[in-house]
Amino acid sequence: MQTESKKWPEKGVYHWDVTDMHNMQSVAISLEDFKNKSIRVMQTGTLPDVEESRKYNSLISKADSSYMQQNYQEAERYFTHAFDFKNYVRGQHLYNAACVASLAGHKDAAFWFLEERMKAEPEWYSLNIETDKDLLPIHDDVRWNEIINAMHERQTRKEANYDIPLRNQLLEIAKDDQAIRQEWRMTSRQQPQDKAKIDSIFSVMATIDSVNQQKIFKILDSRGFVGKDKVGDACRAYWLVVQHSSVEMQRKYLPLFLKAAERGDIPRENVAMMEDRICLFEGRPQRYGTQLEEDKDGKWHLYKLENPEKVDEYRKSVGMGTLSDYLKMMGIKL
């Protein structure tokens, strides 16, 4: 639910990223959200209220859980309550609220949430909205065509100066990366006893990863990190692919990702996740607390921290919530 494509954001195979709430949190909070929050702080001179932020995130988490349980009316109620905390509303959550309202049969609410996101983010459009099954119940409403036409207009304006061939290549790479992982996760959950099938899918995943890595490495080596000004959000493909590569390649491209985050091409928290992953592979303590490891009994626990007293300070600096909140949502005890 956390992404408009309804695909599960990516994480490692042998360890899980704590920043993926319920293993399905968006790989990252959009840069636009960070920008809007920063502008509000500068305009008001007031920092976000920690308690209100915690309440907002808690309600969003409950909405996501209700969605997964197919309790769409309850999910809509949680989203609605969360949006009472107006300073914390994120675009992706408005979109997800539209989805659950659609599934609950509340067309007016579904369109209201979509329109609110479009007003909040004047340049936002979705490549997946027309194929999103959650929104099928509102396709027969005249307002649907208005939304789609507006999306197409935004897309045309936004992509006027794009490198379309490269953008399409990156989108295809990201699609392949996510699709095989979605298949692997679904099979692992629904058919855990079928080890042969799971291993077969994993083998295919490894092959796809190898092919994608060669493509991405070639682009990064020859052209550098081509950012949002030329490929839009397709530049997330770099991170998706490199995070699955060897620690040597992650270390090689980390400086590119750090600079890309400074430009706003990818969320800083994604890079923090990569930094922690490199630490885990090298046996060094992690800074941001995004990595878990499995013990001999098959239980997951937090990988060792560089500085437990300052971990929340580090996390806040890259846009992450508190470690305790995320661990609680993951069912992990410190």
Side-chain angles (χ1 to χ4, degrees), residues 2-3 12 59 67 71 78 93 95 98 102 113 116 121 156 167 172 213 236-237 243 246 259 292 300 306 326 329:
Q2 284 296 308
T3 56
L59 288 166
Y67 169 85
N71 192 337
Y78 281 127
H93 298 155
Y95 183 95
S102 168
F113 289 130
E116 283 298 298
E121 302 176 28
T156 299
R167 173 174 165 79
E172 189 65 25
Q213 285 168 19
R236 71 188 289 265
Q243 70 160 337
S246 67
K259 291 181 180 178
L292 300 178
W300 293 92
E306 172 187 306
Y326 281 103
M329 292 172 190

Side-chain angles (χ1 to χ4, degrees), residues 12 22 40 57 67 105 114 129 249-250 270 280 315 326:
H22 299 305
R40 282 196 292 268
N57 289 326
Y67 169 85
L114 286 175
I129 189 170
M249 300 311 290
Q250 291 184 51
N270 284 17
L280 182 144
R315 290 173 64 88
Y326 281 103

Side-chain angles (χ1 to χ4, degrees), residues 1-53:
M1 187 41 186
Q2 284 296 308
T3 56
E4 291 144 21
S5 63
K6 300 300 181 294
K7 295 174 183 175
W8 297 68
E10 199 38 56
K11 47 194 158 300
V13 173
Y14 299 107
H15 52 275
W16 302 87
D17 296 324
V18 180
T19 44
D20 292 337
M21 286 191 294
H22 299 305
N23 295 334
M24 57 180 290
Q25 181 76 6
S26 172
V27 283
I29 300 170
S30 70
L31 177 69
E32 191 68 23
D33 294 330
F34 290 133
K35 183 185 76 174
N36 291 338
K37 288 178 183 177
S38 298
I39 291 173
R40 282 196 292 268
V41 170
M42 288 187 290
Q43 290 175 336
T44 64
T46 303
L47 292 172
D49 183 279
V50 174
E51 182 61 19
E52 286 191 356
S53 177

Side-chain angles (χ1 to χ4, degrees), residues 51-287:
E51 182 61 19
E52 286 191 356
S53 177
R54 186 194 66 77
K55 290 179 180 178
Y56 176 86
N57 289 326
S58 176
L59 288 166
I60 293 298
S61 178
K62 290 177 180 178
D64 293 339
S65 296
S66 297
Y67 169 85
M68 292 300 295
Q69 296 165 11
Q70 298 184 2
N71 192 337
Y72 304 124
Q73 291 192 30
E74 182 178 85
E76 184 184 348
R77 285 197 295 272
Y78 281 127
F79 275 123
T80 301
H81 289 320
F83 298 155
D84 287 338
F85 299 98
K86 300 184 185 300
N87 289 335
Y88 306 92
V89 177
R90 299 173 189 162
Q92 69 186 62
H93 298 155
L94 287 167
Y95 183 95
N96 289 346
C99 290
V100 298
S102 168
L103 292 167
H106 301 156
K107 290 185 177 182
D108 289 345
F111 283 110
W112 187 86
F113 289 130
L114 286 175
E115 290 163 0
E116 283 298 298
R117 177 163 192 185
M118 295 183 75
K119 285 191 291 185
E121 302 176 28
E123 295 185 355
W124 170 75
Y125 62 91
S126 170
L127 296 175
N128 305 300
I129 189 170
E130 294 181 82
T131 57
D132 191 333
K133 294 181 180 179
D134 287 352
L135 297 174
L136 283 175
I138 63 174
H139 281 201
D140 60 355
D141 192 292
V142 65
R143 290 170 290 183
W144 177 252
N145 288 332
E146 295 174 359
I147 292 287
I148 297 304
N149 289 337
M151 289 280 178
H152 289 166
E153 291 175 3
R154 290 182 174 198
Q155 181 177 359
T156 299
R157 290 196 305 270
K158 186 77 172 180
E159 298 182 2
N161 297 315
Y162 277 5
D163 182 335
I164 297 300
L166 179 57
R167 173 174 165 79
N168 289 341
Q169 181 185 14
L170 292 173
L171 288 173
E172 189 65 25
I173 289 172
K175 178 181 177 182
D176 291 345
D177 177 277
Q178 295 289 278
I180 189 64
R181 281 171 169 76
Q182 173 73 342
E183 182 181 357
W184 179 70
R185 290 192 190 95
M186 293 297 290
T187 303
S188 298
R189 285 194 304 273
Q190 297 174 359
Q191 305 173 48
Q193 74 287 349
D194 195 341
K195 301 298 184 183
K197 184 175 182 179
I198 293 172
D199 289 344
S200 176
I201 296 173
F202 189 85
S203 178
V204 173
M205 189 193 320
T207 300
I208 291 175
D209 282 355
S210 179
V211 172
N212 283 343
Q213 285 168 19
Q214 294 308 309
K215 293 177 180 178
I216 290 296
F217 296 163
K218 183 178 180 180
I219 294 170
L220 291 174
D221 289 342
S222 62
R223 302 187 57 176
F225 193 110
V226 182
K228 286 185 175 181
D229 60 330
K230 292 297 181 183
V231 297
D233 58 1
C235 61
R236 71 188 289 265
Y238 304 127
W239 180 79
L240 285 174
V241 172
V242 173
Q243 70 160 337
H244 301 137
S245 66
S246 67
V247 64
E248 292 79 15
M249 300 311 290
Q250 291 184 51
R251 193 187 304 113
K252 173 183 177 180
Y253 294 115
L254 179 60
L256 280 180
F257 284 96
L258 286 167
K259 291 181 180 178
E262 290 176 2
R263 295 193 302 268
D265 285 327
I266 56 174
R268 180 60 180 86
E269 63 177 299
N270 284 17
V271 186
M273 210 178 294
M274 182 176 291
E275 291 178 274
D276 274 359
R277 181 170 287 136
I278 291 172
C279 289
L280 182 144
F281 285 135
E282 295 180 343
R284 295 184 290 111
Q286 62 176 327
R287 167 165 286 208

